[in-house]
Amino acid sequence: MSEYSWATPTQLIPSDPQRIRREERQHHSAGDGRDPFRRGARLDLERMLSAECWMRLGGVTQVISPDREDPHSYLDPDSLVNNRMTHSLRVAQVARSIAIRLISPEGDNFGRRHELILRFGGLDADVAAVAGLAHDLGHPPFGHAAETALDELARTEFGLTDGFEGNAQSLRIVSRMEAVSSKPGMDLTRATLAAIIKYPWIRRGSGKQWKKFNAYNSEEDVLDFSRGFLPDDYPPEQQTLEASIMDIADDISYAFHDLEDFHLAGLLPQDRILALLADGSDFLAEVRTDLGNKYGEFPFSADFDEAVIEAEGIIQRVTRADVSDPARVGKTKHACAGHIGKFIADVDFPVNNPEQPYWPGGPLIGLDVKPWTIIQILKAITKKEVIDTPLVQDDGAQGAECVKILARKLREALEGGPIPPPKRLQRMVSSIPVIDDAPKERLRRIIDYICTLTDKQARTLSQSYSSAVVGAGAAT
């Protein structure tokens, strides 16, 4: 181990002064300086788990709304499925496991791996876990359909040029909106803020930089601050190591946990899934085309067909327990957990060129081509057979319409309409500093407020505004 590093079973980071910069907080506070065991990311983890923005996720859609009025219309009546909180917990668990394995002084080439970790700014398993917990904080009620609707409304009706994006909203929440003291935000460390950032740029241009970004213009200073511990030659739009780990943990969780949940819920029977993977299927052609469009040559430098065969084997093992088998749930979960463990063990720096990202603009830590392609195939199965089905799409469309109506009603309320705005929104608006673009910031606070609501709260508030008697008030 280098004498210039700080190493524990869950940390491998450069020693001072880089370690000090990693743990520097947004407001330059000492955190809980009285307790040396509650420093850095450990304190960030405690703050996240007690935050209102985190607790809200239990009532927010992952794929199917936890507040759906007739959830048994297309689910097994005894089934439970992910919400945003359970998904985020799973991502945090996988991310932490990946980080600990990479830090461990075991296995092949661990010395070289440790050199790379120190070269690229260090790695902390608690930072990776907090990033997993926080990565979806900015999702509005009702999932991705509502995210698209809010983006369009923010740009075209509210005049907010950088619109809305769930990842950017996550950074805004932890740095501006969720308070742990008299100052705005959660006062997280640089390393934790940077780990939450999958897309380290503001919205601009077209393509990926327009569709996905992690900071509104108002949080560009936070983006810059978060990266202040990285080496001088670190690429400006490269994920940090913990952000890359959170990103691939998100993919692994999506691929396996959603497969597990929806198979047990009756939406992904084995025969239907295997039919998708049949040689020459339209589904496989679509997946291959989609991956090529997004990632260029990366998915095809290995045999795509070999990845399909391995994905088929995974499906057979995960879904083989018969519906009548009383141990079906346990067998399914056991098979899924085993495969997750294998993919966790595969996450590493690129084998052939470990100092370069997996593809241009890609992660420094991730999966090699074949296991990465398997993950994409499994994700595509859930998307086609669950997310893109008419029932789920109809739910999303209704949710999107709900948040648009609510945003318009809240604007009307703030602009002197007959029904007053909710008290929390009033407090959020009253805290706006005197700035030149305060009217735009008031509209941004409407979006912020909607992102404090669960599905049920958004639906109830929208309905109450639509049916309220003038003068009676709509909500608190």
Side-chain angles (χ1 to χ4, degrees):
M1 186 64 60
S2 168
E3 61 179 313
Y4 302 107
S5 65
W6 175 280
T8 73
T10 61
Q11 284 184 321
L12 180 61
I13 56 180
S15 289
D16 301 344
Q18 196 166 359
R19 181 177 69 87
I20 293 173
R21 291 200 300 271
R22 278 181 62 95
E23 295 188 358
E24 187 175 7
R25 296 189 175 275
Q26 184 183 350
H27 298 306
H28 306 287
S29 71
D32 190 345
R34 298 163 297 177
D35 187 348
F37 297 100
R38 296 179 68 239
R39 294 176 54 185
R42 292 182 184 178
L43 183 57
D44 291 348
L45 184 59
E46 292 181 22
R47 287 180 173 177
M48 190 59 61
L49 289 171
S50 61
E52 287 187 4
C53 59
W54 159 250
M55 292 186 283
R56 157 189 173 264
L57 295 182
V60 177
T61 296
Q62 169 68 13
V63 175
I64 295 173
S65 176
D67 185 48
R68 197 175 194 280
E69 294 179 357
D70 56 340
H72 297 164
S73 64
Y74 57 96
L75 293 177
D76 183 313
D78 296 324
S79 64
L80 294 172
V81 295
N82 259 346
N83 55 51
R84 284 284 164 191
M85 177 182 280
T86 57
H87 166 71
S88 298
L89 280 168
R90 288 164 160 179
V91 173
Q93 176 187 16
V94 173
R96 182 176 172 81
S97 295
I98 291 170
I100 289 174
R101 193 196 71 81
L102 293 173
I103 292 166
S104 171
E106 299 177 4
D108 297 334
N109 301 317
F110 75 85
R112 176 58 172 153
R113 183 186 302 124
H114 286 184
E115 289 176 6
L116 291 168
I117 289 172
L118 294 172
R119 160 78 176 81
F120 292 125
L123 178 56
D124 185 330
D126 287 335
V127 169
V130 181
L133 294 175
H135 79 285
D136 274 351
L137 290 176
H139 272 278
F142 309 113
H144 288 291
E147 184 177 7
T148 302
L150 277 180
D151 179 42
E152 180 182 2
L153 179 141
R155 288 183 291 107
T156 62
E157 297 185 33
F158 285 10
L160 301 173
T161 56
D162 43 5
F164 176 82
E165 211 279 335
N167 293 287
Q169 190 69 26
S170 294
L171 185 63
R172 181 172 169 84
I173 287 169
V174 300
S175 64
R176 305 281 195 222
M177 308 310 300
E178 180 80 20
V180 297
S181 70
S182 60
K183 296 180 179 179
M186 297 178 69
D187 198 23
L188 301 177
T189 63
R190 290 182 193 266
T192 297
L193 287 168
I196 295 169
I197 298 172
K198 282 187 181 183
Y199 310 102
W201 52 79
I202 60 172
R203 190 172 219 171
R204 66 176 190 275
S206 61
K208 183 179 180 180
Q209 279 73 24
W210 173 262
K211 184 177 181 181
K212 292 288 186 182
F213 58 101
N214 240 113
Y216 301 124
N217 295 331
S218 54
E219 280 70 59
E220 189 174 8
D221 62 326
V222 181
L223 174 62
D224 292 340
F225 168 80
S226 73
R227 300 175 68 81
F229 69 93
L230 295 169
D232 292 341
D233 60 347
Y234 203 85
E237 296 188 351
Q238 178 72 58
Q239 292 175 337
T240 63
L241 299 187
E242 288 104 340
S244 289
I245 288 171
M246 175 269 287
D247 200 358
I248 194 61
D250 192 13
D251 274 2
I252 291 171
S253 183
Y254 177 176
F256 283 101
H257 289 131
D258 283 6
L259 170 66
E260 173 189 300
D261 286 347
F262 290 120
H263 172 65
L264 292 174
L267 296 182
L268 289 175
Q270 186 187 79
D271 57 346
R272 198 160 79 214
I273 305 174
L274 293 179
L276 293 175
L277 301 180
D279 188 35
S281 72
D282 291 342
F283 169 76
L284 290 177
E286 292 168 3
V287 171
R288 187 164 190 150
T289 299
D290 185 52
L291 293 180
N293 290 338
K294 289 181 179 178
Y295 301 100
E297 291 301 314
F298 176 73
F300 311 116
S301 56
D303 189 353
F304 182 84
D305 294 336
E306 190 174 334
V308 173
I309 292 170
E310 292 203 23
E312 185 176 15
I314 290 171
I315 295 294
Q316 289 173 335
R317 288 186 288 274
V318 169
T319 64
R320 65 184 169 190
D322 189 82
V323 175
S324 62
D325 186 345
R328 175 174 177 256
V329 172
K331 289 179 177 179
T332 301
K333 289 182 176 292
H334 179 74
C336 232
H339 287 295
I340 289 171
K342 292 176 182 176
F343 278 84
I344 286 173
D346 283 340
V347 175
D348 211 328
F349 292 93
V351 174
N352 295 328
N353 198 353
E355 295 195 19
Q356 297 298 319
Y358 273 88
W359 60 85
L364 287 166
I365 290 178
L367 287 168
D368 206 0
V369 178
K370 188 167 69 174
W372 181 88
T373 304
I374 293 169
I375 291 293
Q376 306 311 312
I377 291 169
L378 296 179
K379 287 171 57 179
I381 290 170
T382 297
K383 184 176 187 301
K384 179 175 179 60
E385 292 298 306
V386 181
I387 297 172
D388 289 346
T389 58
L391 283 169
V392 174
Q393 288 294 302
D394 287 349
D395 279 358
Q398 292 175 26
E401 187 62 26
C402 175
V403 297
K404 287 194 293 185
I405 291 171
L406 180 56
R408 292 166 183 148
K409 292 290 186 182
L410 293 173
R411 179 178 187 176
E412 181 181 319
L414 283 179
E415 293 176 349
I419 304 171
K423 291 179 181 178
R424 177 184 289 221
L425 178 57
Q426 293 180 47
R427 293 193 296 270
M428 293 169 73
V429 169
S430 68
S431 68
I432 297 174
V434 179
I435 51 178
D436 292 339
D437 58 350
K440 290 287 182 67
E441 183 64 17
R442 284 167 62 88
L443 296 175
R444 174 64 72 188
R445 294 295 168 101
I446 293 173
I447 306 293
D448 293 335
Y449 174 75
I450 289 173
C451 290
T452 69
L453 303 176
T454 65
D455 291 10
K456 183 176 183 179
Q457 289 171 328
R459 184 180 290 110
T460 300
L461 187 57
S462 180
Q463 292 170 348
S464 70
Y465 265 105
S466 297
S467 61
V469 176
V470 174
T476 60

